[in-house]
Coordinates of all heavy atoms in Angstrom, one line a residue:
A304 N 6.2 0.6 7.7 CA 5.3 -0.4 8.2 C 4.7 -1.2 7.0 O 4.1 -0.6 6.1 CB 4.2 0.2 9.1
L305 N 4.7 -2.5 7.1 CA 4.1 -3.4 6.1 C 3.0 -4.3 6.7 O 3.2 -4.8 7.8 CB 5.2 -4.3 5.4 CG 6.1 -3.5 4.5 CD1 7.5 -3.3 5.2 CD2 6.3 -4.2 3.2
K306 N 1.9 -4.4 6.0 CA 0.8 -5.2 6.5 C 1.1 -6.7 6.4 O 2.0 -7.1 5.6 CB -0.5 -4.8 5.7 CG -0.4 -5.3 4.3 CD -1.7 -4.9 3.5 CE -1.7 -5.4 2.1 NZ -2.9 -5.0 1.4
P307 N 0.3 -7.5 7.0 CA 0.5 -8.9 6.8 C 0.1 -9.3 5.4 O -0.7 -8.6 4.8 CB -0.6 -9.5 7.8 CG -0.8 -8.5 8.8 CD -0.6 -7.2 8.1
T308 N 0.8 -10.3 4.8 CA 0.5 -10.8 3.5 C -1.0 -11.1 3.4 O -1.5 -11.9 4.2 CB 1.3 -12.0 3.2 OG1 2.6 -11.8 3.5 CG2 1.2 -12.4 1.7
P309 N -1.8 -10.5 2.4 CA -3.2 -10.7 2.4 C -3.6 -12.1 1.9 O -4.7 -12.6 2.3 CB -3.7 -9.7 1.4 CG -2.6 -9.3 0.6 CD -1.4 -9.5 1.5
T310 N -2.8 -12.8 1.1 CA -3.1 -14.1 0.6 C -2.7 -15.1 1.7 O -1.5 -15.3 2.0 CB -2.3 -14.5 -0.7 OG1 -2.6 -13.5 -1.6 CG2 -2.8 -15.8 -1.2
I311 N -3.7 -15.8 2.3 CA -3.4 -16.7 3.4 C -4.2 -18.0 3.1 O -5.2 -18.0 2.3 CB -3.7 -16.2 4.8 CG1 -5.2 -15.7 4.9 CG2 -2.8 -15.0 5.1 CD1 -5.6 -15.2 6.2
Y312 N -3.9 -19.1 3.8 CA -4.6 -20.4 3.6 C -5.8 -20.5 4.5 O -6.6 -21.5 4.3 CB -3.6 -21.5 3.8 CG -2.4 -21.5 2.9 CD1 -1.1 -21.5 3.4 CD2 -2.6 -21.4 1.5 CE1 0.0 -21.5 2.5 CE2 -1.5 -21.4 0.7 CZ -0.2 -21.5 1.2 OH 0.9 -21.4 0.3
L313 N -6.0 -19.7 5.5 CA -7.1 -19.7 6.3 C -8.4 -19.2 5.6 O -8.3 -18.4 4.7 CB -6.9 -18.9 7.6 CG -5.8 -19.3 8.5 CD1 -5.7 -18.3 9.7 CD2 -6.0 -20.7 9.0
E314 N -9.6 -19.7 6.0 CA -10.8 -19.2 5.3 C -11.0 -17.8 5.7 O -10.9 -17.3 6.8 CB -12.0 -20.1 5.7 CG -12.0 -21.5 5.1 CD -13.3 -22.2 5.3 OE1 -14.1 -21.8 6.2 OE2 -13.5 -23.1 4.5
Q315 N -11.5 -17.0 4.7 CA -11.8 -15.6 4.8 C -13.1 -15.3 4.2 O -13.6 -16.0 3.2 CB -10.7 -14.7 4.2 CG -9.3 -14.9 4.7 CD -8.3 -14.0 4.1 OE1 -8.3 -12.8 4.5 NE2 -7.6 -14.5 3.1
Q316 N -13.8 -14.2 4.6 CA -15.0 -13.8 4.1 C -14.8 -13.0 2.8 O -14.1 -12.0 2.8 CB -15.8 -13.0 5.1 CG -17.3 -12.9 4.8 CD -18.1 -12.3 5.9 OE1 -17.6 -12.2 7.0 NE2 -19.3 -12.0 5.7
T317 N -15.5 -13.3 1.7 CA -15.4 -12.6 0.5 C -16.7 -12.7 -0.3 O -17.7 -13.0 0.3 CB -14.2 -13.1 -0.4 OG1 -14.1 -12.3 -1.6 CG2 -14.4 -14.6 -0.8
V318 N -16.7 -12.4 -1.6 CA -17.9 -12.5 -2.4 C -17.7 -13.3 -3.6 O -16.5 -13.5 -4.1 CB -18.4 -11.0 -2.8 CG1 -18.8 -10.2 -1.6 CG2 -17.3 -10.3 -3.6
D319 N -18.7 -13.8 -4.2 CA -18.7 -14.5 -5.4 C -19.2 -13.6 -6.5 O -20.4 -13.2 -6.6 CB -19.7 -15.7 -5.4 CG -19.6 -16.6 -6.6 OD1 -19.3 -16.1 -7.7 OD2 -20.0 -17.8 -6.5
L320 N -18.2 -13.1 -7.4 CA -18.5 -12.1 -8.4 C -19.4 -12.7 -9.5 O -20.0 -11.9 -10.3 CB -17.2 -11.6 -9.0 CG -16.4 -10.7 -8.0 CD1 -15.1 -10.4 -8.7 CD2 -17.1 -9.5 -7.6
L321 N -19.4 -14.0 -9.7 CA -20.2 -14.6 -10.7 C -21.7 -14.8 -10.3 O -22.6 -14.5 -11.1 CB -19.6 -16.0 -11.1 CG -20.2 -16.8 -12.2 CD1 -20.1 -16.0 -13.5 CD2 -19.6 -18.2 -12.4
E322 N -21.9 -15.3 -9.1 CA -23.3 -15.5 -8.6 C -23.8 -14.4 -7.8 O -24.9 -14.5 -7.3 CB -23.3 -16.9 -7.9 CG -23.0 -18.1 -8.8 CD -23.3 -19.4 -8.1 OE1 -23.8 -19.4 -7.0 OE2 -23.0 -20.4 -8.7
H323 N -22.9 -13.4 -7.5 CA -23.4 -12.2 -6.7 C -23.9 -12.6 -5.4 O -25.0 -12.2 -5.0 CB -24.4 -11.4 -7.5 CG -23.9 -11.0 -8.9 ND1 -22.9 -10.1 -9.1 CD2 -24.3 -11.5 -10.1 CE1 -22.8 -10.0 -10.4 NE2 -23.6 -10.8 -11.1
K324 N -23.1 -13.3 -4.6 CA -23.5 -13.7 -3.2 C -22.2 -13.7 -2.4 O -21.1 -13.8 -2.9 CB -24.2 -15.0 -3.2 CG -23.4 -16.2 -3.7 CD -24.2 -17.5 -3.7 CE -23.3 -18.7 -4.0 NZ -24.1 -19.9 -4.0
N325 N -22.4 -13.7 -1.1 CA -21.3 -13.8 -0.1 C -20.7 -15.2 -0.2 O -21.4 -16.2 -0.5 CB -21.8 -13.5 1.3 CG -22.2 -12.1 1.4 OD1 -21.7 -11.2 0.7 ND2 -23.2 -11.8 2.3
S326 N -19.5 -15.3 0.2 CA -18.8 -16.6 0.2 C -17.7 -16.6 1.2 O -17.2 -15.6 1.7 CB -18.2 -16.8 -1.2 OG -17.5 -18.0 -1.3
T327 N -17.2 -17.8 1.5 CA -16.0 -18.0 2.4 C -15.0 -18.8 1.6 O -15.4 -19.9 1.1 CB -16.4 -18.7 3.7 OG1 -17.4 -18.0 4.4 CG2 -15.2 -18.9 4.6
Q328 N -13.8 -18.3 1.6 CA -12.8 -19.0 0.7 C -11.4 -19.0 1.5 O -11.1 -18.2 2.3 CB -12.6 -18.2 -0.6 CG -13.8 -18.2 -1.5 CD -14.0 -19.5 -2.2 OE1 -13.1 -20.2 -2.6 NE2 -15.3 -19.9 -2.3
S329 N -10.7 -20.1 1.2 CA -9.2 -20.1 1.5 C -8.5 -20.1 0.2 O -9.1 -20.6 -0.8 CB -8.9 -21.3 2.4 OG -9.2 -22.5 1.6
Y330 N -7.3 -19.7 0.1 CA -6.6 -19.4 -1.2 C -5.3 -20.2 -1.3 O -4.6 -20.5 -0.4 CB -6.3 -17.9 -1.3 CG -7.6 -17.1 -1.4 CD1 -8.2 -16.6 -0.3 CD2 -8.2 -16.9 -2.6 CE1 -9.4 -15.9 -0.3 CE2 -9.3 -16.1 -2.7 CZ -9.9 -15.6 -1.6 OH -11.1 -14.9 -1.6
R331 N -5.1 -20.7 -2.6 CA -3.9 -21.4 -2.9 C -2.8 -20.4 -3.3 O -3.0 -19.2 -3.2 CB -4.2 -22.4 -4.1 CG -5.3 -23.4 -3.7 CD -5.5 -24.4 -4.9 NE -5.9 -23.7 -6.1 CZ -7.2 -23.4 -6.4 NH1 -8.1 -23.8 -5.6 NH2 -7.5 -22.8 -7.5
G332 N -1.8 -21.0 -3.9 CA -0.7 -20.1 -4.4 C 0.5 -20.1 -3.4 O 0.4 -20.6 -2.3
R333 N 1.6 -19.5 -3.9 CA 2.8 -19.4 -3.1 C 3.0 -18.0 -2.7 O 2.9 -17.0 -3.5 CB 4.0 -19.9 -3.9 CG 3.9 -21.3 -4.4 CD 4.9 -21.6 -5.4 NE 4.6 -20.9 -6.7 CZ 5.4 -21.0 -7.8 NH1 6.5 -21.7 -7.8 NH2 5.0 -20.3 -8.9
H334 N 3.2 -17.8 -1.4 CA 3.3 -16.4 -0.9 C 4.2 -16.4 0.3 O 4.4 -17.4 1.0 CB 1.9 -15.8 -0.5 CG 1.2 -16.6 0.6 ND1 0.4 -17.7 0.3 CD2 1.2 -16.5 1.9 CE1 -0.1 -18.2 1.4 NE2 0.4 -17.5 2.4
D335 N 4.6 -15.2 0.7 CA 5.5 -15.0 1.9 C 4.6 -14.9 3.1 O 3.6 -14.1 3.1 CB 6.3 -13.7 1.7 CG 7.4 -13.8 0.6 OD1 7.0 -13.5 -0.5 OD2 8.5 -14.2 1.0
P336 N 4.9 -15.6 4.2 CA 4.2 -15.5 5.4 C 4.4 -14.1 6.1 O 3.7 -13.7 6.9 CB 4.7 -16.6 6.3 CG 6.0 -17.0 5.7 CD 5.9 -16.7 4.3
C337 N 5.5 -13.5 5.7 CA 5.8 -12.1 6.1 C 6.6 -11.4 5.0 O 7.8 -11.6 4.8 CB 6.7 -12.2 7.4 SG 7.2 -10.5 8.0
I338 N 5.8 -10.5 4.3 CA 6.4 -9.8 3.2 C 7.5 -8.8 3.6 O 8.4 -8.5 2.8 CB 5.4 -9.0 2.4 CG1 4.5 -8.1 3.2 CG2 4.5 -10.0 1.6 CD1 3.5 -7.3 2.5
A339 N 7.5 -8.4 4.9 CA 8.6 -7.5 5.4 C 9.9 -8.1 5.4 O 11.0 -7.5 5.3 CB 8.2 -7.0 6.8
L340 N 10.0 -9.5 5.4 CA 11.3 -10.2 5.5 C 12.2 -9.9 4.3 O 13.4 -9.8 4.5 CB 11.0 -11.7 5.6 CG 12.1 -12.6 6.0 CD1 12.7 -12.3 7.3 CD2 11.7 -14.1 5.9
R341 N 11.6 -9.8 3.1 CA 12.4 -9.5 1.9 C 12.3 -8.1 1.5 O 12.9 -7.7 0.5 CB 11.9 -10.4 0.8 CG 12.2 -11.9 1.0 CD 12.1 -12.7 -0.3 NE 10.7 -12.8 -0.7 CZ 10.2 -12.7 -1.9 NH1 11.1 -12.3 -2.9 NH2 9.0 -12.8 -2.2

Side-chain angles (χ1 to χ4, degrees):
L305 290 102
K306 68 181 182 181
T308 313
T310 306
I311 58 177
Y312 299 126
L313 298 177
E314 287 193 340
Q315 301 183 79
Q316 196 169 348
T317 184
V318 294
D319 184 335
L320 294 173
L321 183 62
E322 297 190 5
H323 305 290
K324 63 181 183 180
N325 294 330
S326 179
T327 302
Q328 297 286 320
S329 61
Y330 294 88
R331 300 183 298 273
R333 298 167 293 176
H334 62 270
D335 292 88
C337 178
I338 53 179
L340 191 62
R341 292 194 290 134

